[in-house]
Amino acid sequence: MRLEGKAAVVVGAGQTPGETIGNGRATAVLFAREGARVVLVDRDPSSMGETRDMIAAEGGTCVVCEADWTRAADCRAMVETALTSYGRIDVLHNSVGIGTAADAPVHRLSEEAWDRVMSVNLKGMFLACREVVPVMREQGRGSIINLSSVASVARYGPTAYKVSKAGVNALTQSLALANAQYGFRVNAIMPGLINTPMAIEGQLGARGMSRKQLVEQRNAMVPLGGKQGHRLGHRLCGPLPRLG
């Protein structure tokens, strides 16, 4: 019960349809298991409702807020929902992100594809953080967690996704440095290709292989039985340069 009595906002608490569980849903369920009172935020009320039912079935506490985080008014509404329901915000977990088949190297990337990825992956995170920062400053404590990607620092072809996640890293660092004096921290998580619906389902059509083949390919690049490791990052980034 490490989060007992805490109020946590999870943006992206629904998920892309698929056979496995998404990062946002998994986070919301785990936070509730650890005793947090959770605000579920998602633009898809049906998927968010499934997450709510999972938490309720385990005896957890949560409320829902339908919102599109690329809209400033919706981000204000999620903060108001949290404060009205629980009186505080101890955790903001930002787990929204998209890729698109239209993403490409710069010389083939359309303005429309660039704008969509940057709006969802970076603008929305900025708006959500902007609304929560004043609350945490007043409280003098809290934690903001932004979901980035190893693609931000690895060799990765699609431009918009990579740049948007690099922007998430810069935004996180800027927020952390500006707000440490107010008693709360800001961190980014940089996962690789996880077996989630958003990651796997989105790759199936693009790669022209079965789900089983794609998952096996992913697992082969990650040591320790498909768990955390360094091999994928090494293959994407190449060996580290020698110094001196």
Side-chain angles (χ1 to χ4, degrees):
M1 303 297 285
R2 290 172 292 176
L3 296 177
E4 187 171 10
K6 306 293 186 182
V9 177
V10 179
V11 190
Q15 68 172 58
T16 303
E19 297 182 356
T20 55
I21 190 168
N23 289 322
R25 174 172 290 172
T27 298
V29 171
L30 182 57
F31 280 3
R33 285 177 183 170
E34 291 290 340
R37 300 166 294 168
V38 186
V39 179
L40 308 176
V41 182
D42 204 276
R43 61 180 295 182
D44 183 345
S46 176
S47 183
M48 182 168 52
E50 293 173 358
T51 307
R52 177 197 59 206
D53 292 345
M54 292 172 68
I55 292 173
E58 296 185 3
T61 301
C62 67
V63 295
V64 299
C65 178
E66 181 180 351
D68 178 348
W69 82 336
T70 65
R71 300 173 181 171
D74 285 18
C75 289
R76 286 192 293 271
M78 77 179 189
V79 170
E80 290 169 0
T81 298
L83 295 178
T84 299
S85 300
Y86 305 133
R88 60 185 299 109
I89 300 174
D90 297 289
V91 181
L92 170 64
H93 184 94
N94 292 318
S95 189
V96 176
I98 62 166
T100 172
D103 202 351
V106 169
H107 65 288
R108 293 192 286 105
L109 179 61
S110 70
E111 183 178 355
E112 292 75 19
W114 169 272
D115 285 347
R116 173 163 167 72
V117 172
M118 295 303 257
S119 179
V120 175
N121 290 3
L122 187 55
K123 177 187 175 182
M125 192 168 291
F126 150 68
L127 291 174
C129 291
R130 187 181 69 172
E131 296 301 322
V132 169
V133 162
V135 177
M136 291 189 174
R137 283 192 174 195
E138 184 176 351
Q139 293 172 172
R141 64 181 305 166
S143 173
I144 296 176
I145 305 159
N146 297 326
L147 203 66
S148 179
S149 170
V150 71
S152 63
V153 297
R155 185 181 302 148
Y156 187 77
T159 303
Y161 184 84
K162 177 180 179 65
V163 174
S164 72
K165 292 301 186 178
V168 168
N169 295 347
L171 175 64
T172 301
Q173 184 184 50
S174 178
L175 286 166
L177 293 173
N179 291 288
Q181 62 182 310
Y182 295 99
F184 68 91
R185 64 187 184 274
V186 187
N187 298 98
I189 301 172
M190 296 168 54
L193 179 60
I194 301 178
N195 188 2
T196 64
M198 185 278 211
I200 298 299
E201 302 298 331
Q203 294 284 330
L204 290 177
R207 298 199 183 186
M209 60 177 66
S210 70
R211 179 179 290 99
K212 182 175 182 294
Q213 289 173 322
L214 182 57
V215 171
E216 288 178 349
Q217 182 186 77
R218 175 263 175 200
N219 289 345
M221 292 190 292
V222 182
L224 305 179
K227 299 179 182 179
Q228 291 182 342
H230 68 278
R231 190 181 303 168
L232 176 60
H234 178 80
R235 289 181 59 174
L236 291 175
C237 299
L240 295 174
R242 292 188 178 184
L243 302 177

